[in-house]
């Protein structure tokens, strides 16, 4: 027996992995892009489902959760953290960056690319209530949106649909219709998917918007930025592992992750 039985515990559990988190399963849309760009990296995903949805909570709750999950990942030894949640980014990315030594890459609504793409000059931004009301989004609109009409649309209920993997029901179609149709009626030809849950509703959104309307999901851009930030610390050999944790109901999250990610995913509990 080792004379120092606790020595093994001193090594961080996920040394050199990449941490990715969201309020729930939405960030899997970003994880998918990261996995495609970085097949050899070990990925650790946290769904903070015990405290979701973030979009309807106040800023101090969102900041406190972002710092708690971010610091947990940093303590496990990850070499980078990806905030796969627009709401957490616009409210708390700055605080997390101030409080951790680990590089943080954060998704944000793709308003700049939307401005480059629109022909009608009307852009719809679909996001959570906190995101559409945030100062960060107001700044992005001022910075890039000159001469364009940017319609900010909160979509209550959409996150809950995705959290139940309810992507194709009549209720889903109705809720998508409710928030997308008015934007298209006002001339929007480009819609920003400003919440990481929404790419899972892409089919329903495209059906309502029509084939000619662009849907922008910045997940691949986030993955490219992560590759850039990793630089020489990027792993390029072998197959990486993917681990899933949740602060919510493990059985429920397991079912949805199996649906949205794949049957081989195993979800473990992360103490709330
Ligand atoms: N997926 C998160 C985002 O990108 C928000 C979901 C929530 O409201 O918890 O904004």
């Amino acid at each position: 027996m080792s004379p120092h039985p606790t020595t093994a515990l001193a090594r961080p559990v996920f040394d050199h992995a990449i941490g990715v988190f969201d309020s729930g399963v939405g960030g899997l849309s970003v994880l998918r892009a990261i996995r495609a760009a970085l097949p050899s990296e070990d990925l650790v995903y946290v769904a903070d489902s015990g405290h979701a949805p973030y979009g309807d909570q106040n800023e101090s709750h969102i900041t406190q959760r972002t710092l708690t999950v971010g610091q947990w990942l940093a303590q496990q030894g990850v070499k980078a953290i990806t905030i796969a949640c627009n709401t957490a980014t616009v409210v708390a990315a700055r605080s997390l960056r101030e409080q951790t030594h680990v590089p943080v890459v954060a998704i944000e609504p793709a308003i700049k690319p939307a401005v480059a793409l629109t022909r009608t000059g009307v852009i719809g931004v679909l996001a959570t209530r906190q995101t559409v009301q945030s100062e960060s989004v107001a700044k992005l609109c001022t910075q890039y949106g000159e001469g364009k009409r940017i319609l900010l649309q909160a979509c209550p209920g959409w996150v809950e649909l995705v959290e139940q993997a309810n992507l194709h029901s009549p209720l889903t179609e109705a809720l998508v219709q409710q928030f997308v149709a008015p934007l298209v009626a006002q001339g929007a030809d480009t819609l920003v998917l400003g919440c990481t849950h929404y790419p899972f509703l892409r089919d329903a959104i495209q059906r309502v918007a029509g084939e000619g309307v662009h849907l922008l999901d910045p997940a691949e851009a986030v993955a490219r930025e992560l590759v850039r930030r990793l630089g020489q610390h990027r792993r390029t050999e072998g197959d990486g592992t993917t681990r899933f944790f949740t602060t919510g109901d493990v059985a429920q999250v397991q079912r949805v992750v199996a649906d949205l990610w794949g049957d081989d995913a195993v979800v473990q509990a992360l103490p709330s």
Side-chain angles (χ1 to χ4, degrees):
M1 198 160 105
S2 158
H4 302 294
T6 54
T7 308
L9 292 176
R11 191 180 165 81
V13 188
F14 301 128
D15 218 4
H16 302 302
I18 294 168
V20 180
F21 79 91
D22 178 37
S23 62
V25 296
L28 295 175
S29 62
V30 181
L31 193 70
R32 196 163 54 189
I34 293 173
R35 173 47 79 221
L38 294 163
S40 300
E41 297 289 350
D42 292 335
L43 306 179
V44 179
Y45 183 84
V46 176
D48 194 19
S49 322
H51 303 270
Y54 285 179
D56 297 326
Q57 317 264 2
N58 62 39
E59 294 193 1
S60 72
H61 174 94
I62 298 166
T63 302
Q64 186 246 322
R65 290 312 306 163
T66 301
L67 294 180
T68 301
V69 177
Q71 281 161 0
W72 181 80
L73 286 166
Q75 282 157 11
Q76 309 311 308
V78 298
K79 63 182 171 187
I81 295 173
T82 301
I83 305 182
C85 174
N86 294 267
T87 312
T89 297
V90 299
V91 173
R94 188 188 301 166
S95 307
L96 181 58
R97 287 189 172 112
E98 282 166 6
Q99 298 212 4
T100 179
H101 61 284
V102 177
V104 175
V105 173
I107 196 163
E108 68 178 14
I111 291 173
K112 185 181 174 192
V115 166
L117 206 57
T118 181
R119 292 288 162 262
T120 60
V122 185
I123 294 161
V125 178
L126 303 159
T128 66
R129 191 178 55 77
Q130 267 294 356
T131 298
V132 301
Q133 289 175 356
S134 68
E135 247 175 67
S136 305
V137 164
K139 270 194 200 146
L140 288 172
C141 293
T142 317
Q143 200 175 349
Y144 301 113
E146 205 189 320
K148 310 291 180 208
R149 205 165 151 229
I150 302 182
L151 309 169
L152 302 177
Q153 178 64 62
C155 306
W158 286 19
V159 166
E160 288 82 351
L161 291 172
V162 176
E163 286 297 317
Q164 292 155 18
N166 180 358
L167 311 182
H168 304 290
S169 71
L171 173 65
T172 307
E173 297 291 327
L175 276 177
V176 168
Q177 177 80 27
Q178 182 180 348
F179 300 122
V180 171
L183 301 178
V184 178
Q186 290 174 80
D189 66 346
T190 305
L191 298 178
V192 174
L193 304 181
C195 166
T196 54
H197 283 72
Y198 300 173
F200 289 108
L201 300 172
R202 178 181 269 276
D203 290 351
I205 297 169
Q206 193 81 68
R207 246 193 318 279
V208 172
E211 282 309 316
V213 171
H214 301 288
L215 304 187
L216 287 188
D217 169 12
E220 285 176 13
V222 169
R224 282 195 299 274
E225 172 63 8
L226 184 58
V227 170
R228 195 187 70 75
R229 292 290 293 279
L230 287 176
Q232 61 184 32
H233 301 292
R234 175 181 170 187
R235 213 180 268 170
T236 51
E237 276 170 29
D239 288 336
T241 59
T242 313
R243 293 188 175 84
F244 300 88
F245 290 85
T246 186
T247 52
D249 177 339
V250 174
Q252 159 68 12
V253 176
Q254 172 71 56
R255 266 194 301 278
V256 178
V257 170
D259 232 49
L260 302 181
W261 182 265
D263 286 335
D264 54 340
V266 176
V267 178
Q268 302 174 60
L270 180 74
S272 223

